[in-house]
Amino acid sequence: MRGLKFGLISLLFCFGMASAHAQANMDDVEIKATQLSDRVYMLTGMGGNIGVYVGEDGVVMVDAQYKGLAEKIMAAIAELSDQPIKSLINTHFHGDHTDGNAPFARKGVRVIAHENVKTRLAANDEFDQVGLPTITFDNSLYVTSGNAKLKLQHYPKGHTDGDSVVWFPNANVIHAGDLFFVDRFPFIDLNAGGNVQGYIDNVRAVIDSIDGETQIIPGHGTLSKRSDWLRLVHMIEATREEVMTMKEQGLTEDQAVEQGLSAQWKDWSWSFINEERWIRTLY
């Protein structure tokens, strides 16, 4: 039953939410741009945050939100640069980051992602196959833009099995994808290669490679710093300890949910991953 429950959650997050959003009125969604460096921007709208790198010979974007927002996203990027969009990087396969792939691909934008992202998207009948990645990689990849290179690094068994973090060139900025949910319980997709310990290990590995001034574009939430990301890791470790203690005391999963977490974690619940779902993930 638990596996079925998480399977339904995973499906909802990957494409059910995308479908629901696609049916919503996109006219009310505003795409907002925040400049982070001379060439790097963060775009917010509906779904996962977008990163934009304005290169000398074209634009590279990271994640695409929903297809119903593609024209707005294109217009927002056109306000930042008159260069064409040449590349679209997916940090992972979930629909709130990839549903918008196809409209860009139809305009000649090459889609780049870890090979597991392509495999999972190709297996989903609801995904527009025009938006499949045309360039994939295993461990790491450099995407050239003019004389600069964006670095893509794969981190396995974290949020999913296809997570990538993107380093922007000549700027102390990274896009963390869904390895970073700001001040909320993260979604760890156990049915798509996600793993709690792997999530912790991957975040700590990236944190060790950045400094206190690094600007982090999270998958969900506001522009953040290293200290904000550490706060997420500390929450995961502390709540996992609470759940493991309940498990060692003989509480079943449902009993652990009934007992709940310490009051200090109340504000971390949100519409998709509330306290109950977080406890079941940890259990």
Side-chain angles (χ1 to χ4, degrees):
M1 177 62 71
R2 186 168 71 97
L4 175 59
K5 181 178 293 185
F6 276 112
L8 292 173
I9 291 173
S10 175
L11 181 61
L12 173 66
F13 198 84
C14 298
F15 289 99
M17 287 178 64
S19 178
H21 284 308
Q23 295 171 13
N25 187 352
M26 294 291 180
D27 292 341
D28 296 333
V29 178
E30 181 181 359
I31 305 299
K32 298 181 180 179
T34 301
Q35 186 166 9
L36 308 185
S37 72
D38 288 345
R39 295 184 178 274
V40 181
Y41 298 81
M42 171 179 165
L43 301 186
T44 57
M46 178 186 288
N49 294 323
I50 295 173
V52 173
Y53 178 77
V54 179
E56 296 174 355
D57 61 349
V59 172
V60 180
M61 58 184 291
V62 181
D63 286 338
Q65 296 190 356
Y66 298 105
K67 60 185 176 183
L69 295 173
E71 292 298 329
K72 286 188 176 185
I73 294 169
M74 292 176 191
I77 292 175
E79 291 291 322
L80 307 178
S81 172
D82 57 4
Q83 295 284 353
I85 302 172
K86 288 193 171 181
S87 301
L88 165 58
I89 298 165
N90 291 148
T91 59
H92 62 291
F93 81 101
H94 286 150
D96 57 325
H97 299 256
T98 62
D99 187 59
N101 280 11
F104 290 93
R106 286 190 172 91
K107 291 185 177 292
V109 177
R110 61 179 185 171
V111 181
I112 304 167
H114 186 266
E115 56 191 23
N116 290 344
V117 173
K118 182 175 183 178
T119 298
R120 291 191 178 279
L121 291 177
N124 194 301
D125 294 336
E126 296 184 28
F127 182 76
D128 188 338
Q129 301 293 294
V130 173
L132 284 176
T134 55
I135 298 174
T136 62
F137 65 98
D138 180 14
N139 182 50
S140 63
L141 180 72
Y142 285 92
V143 176
T144 301
S145 179
N147 295 321
K149 293 182 178 180
L150 288 76
K151 180 184 178 183
L152 284 61
Q153 182 63 52
H154 173 53
Y155 289 89
K157 297 180 181 179
H159 172 61
T160 69
D161 59 7
D163 304 330
S164 295
V165 173
V166 180
W167 274 260
F168 293 93
N170 306 315
N172 195 6
V173 182
I174 68 171
H175 193 307
D178 279 5
L179 285 175
F180 196 177
F181 289 73
V182 181
D183 290 338
R184 64 181 79 174
F185 296 135
F187 173 46
I188 298 179
D189 195 341
L190 303 180
N191 282 332
N195 179 275
V196 175
Q197 186 59 53
Y199 196 102
I200 294 170
D201 293 343
N202 292 345
V203 172
R204 287 200 175 278
V206 183
I207 284 176
D208 286 345
S209 67
I210 62 178
D211 59 45
E213 299 305 313
T214 303
Q215 297 183 88
I216 306 169
I217 301 174
H220 297 272
T222 58
L223 183 68
S224 298
K225 295 289 185 71
R226 185 176 186 270
S227 57
D228 301 313
W229 214 359
L230 279 169
R231 188 166 59 249
L232 174 69
V233 175
H234 293 157
M235 179 281 297
I236 295 174
E237 292 176 334
T239 54
R240 181 177 63 173
E241 183 64 26
E242 290 187 18
V243 172
M244 290 304 99
T245 296
M246 288 188 274
K247 192 172 185 179
E248 290 169 359
Q249 291 172 345
L251 272 67
T252 65
E253 183 175 318
D254 288 340
Q255 289 171 332
V257 168
E258 183 177 356
Q259 178 169 315
L261 300 170
S262 299
Q264 62 181 310
W265 311 119
K266 181 180 179 180
D267 292 341
W268 289 75
S269 283
W270 56 294
S271 58
F272 187 61
I273 304 299
N274 56 20
E275 181 179 284
E276 175 183 350
R277 286 177 174 169
W278 182 236
I279 290 173
R280 293 189 188 281
T281 296
L282 295 172
Y283 197 98

